[in-house]
């Protein structure tokens, strides 16, 4: 090897030694680690709450805390309730805890996003009728009702 070849070799070795490998690559996108429940009752928190991972351009996990990840419905009129925006922990995971969909029944999809990163959509969630929240009288009782006797109009 001539002196010119050795110089290039030393330059490559020196550059490799100077590279700071403790700085993780910047996140480029989001990936769903845990999908929300595939079915849920309206206004009841999903039994399985979503967990979202920061990833680099090659899909590798990135461990960076402090990145705000938000959840929203992709379409429709129901409301997404619960804490809709959470921050990643040091391992790059955003863990949602109390999300639910309130409103009309049907199939819904969630979108997870963070500023400057590619978003990701959940699998379909089949939202079913929720628990009763009030009682409605459809037939008024007879106004002549007496205590201890059966109602004439039922």
């Amino acid at each position: 090897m001539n002196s010119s070849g050795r110089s290039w070799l030393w330059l490559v070795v020196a550059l490799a030694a100077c590279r700071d490998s403790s700085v993780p690559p910047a996140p480029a996108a989001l990936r769903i680690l845990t999908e929300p429940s595939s079915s849920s009752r309206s206004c009841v928190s999903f039994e399985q709450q979503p967990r979202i991972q920061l990833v680099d351009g090659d899909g590798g996990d990135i461990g960076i805390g402090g990145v705000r990840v938000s959840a929203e419905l992709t379409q429709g009129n129901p409301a997404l309730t619960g804490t809709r925006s959470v921050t990643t922990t040091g391992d790059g995971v955003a863990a949602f805890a109390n999300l639910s969909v309130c409103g009309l029944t049907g199939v819904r999809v969630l979108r997870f996003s963070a500023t400057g990163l590619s978003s990701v959509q959940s699998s379909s969630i089949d939202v079913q009728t929720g628990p009763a929240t009030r009682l409605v009288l459809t037939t008024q009782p007879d106004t002549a009702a007496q205590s201890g006797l059966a109602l004439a109009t039922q």
Side-chain angles (χ1 to χ4, degrees):
M1 185 181 302
N2 63 26
S3 63
S4 170
R6 267 189 233 130
S7 297
W8 279 108
L9 178 62
W10 283 111
L11 178 61
V12 170
V13 170
L15 287 174
C18 290
R19 186 174 151 215
D20 186 358
S21 61
S22 66
V23 177
L30 302 174
R31 178 171 49 89
I32 297 177
L33 284 178
T34 306
E35 289 276 354
S37 300
S38 60
S39 66
S40 182
R41 295 178 70 189
S42 180
C43 298
V44 175
S45 292
F46 303 139
E47 284 186 29
Q48 182 170 294
Q49 291 290 320
R51 293 175 60 238
I52 310 301
Q53 174 72 56
L54 299 176
V55 295
D56 63 20
D58 295 326
D61 294 353
I62 300 290
I64 297 177
V67 177
R68 183 155 300 282
V69 177
S70 299
E72 65 183 347
L73 288 166
T74 59
Q75 63 181 358
N77 262 346
L80 180 63
T81 62
T83 305
R84 297 181 308 266
S85 186
V86 297
T87 303
T88 59
T89 55
D91 58 357
V93 175
F96 291 85
N98 61 352
L99 292 178
S100 66
V101 176
C102 287
L104 300 174
T105 61
V107 175
R108 305 288 181 246
V109 174
L110 300 181
R111 178 183 302 115
F112 299 95
S113 60
T115 302
L117 305 180
S118 297
S119 63
V120 65
Q121 290 187 356
S122 72
S123 297
S124 297
I125 304 164
D126 183 18
V127 179
Q128 316 246 329
T129 303
T133 58
R134 62 184 174 183
L135 179 64
V136 177
L137 291 175
T138 57
T139 304
Q140 292 291 329
D142 189 347
T143 57
Q146 294 180 349
S147 176
L149 299 175
L151 298 172
T153 304
Q154 302 240 358

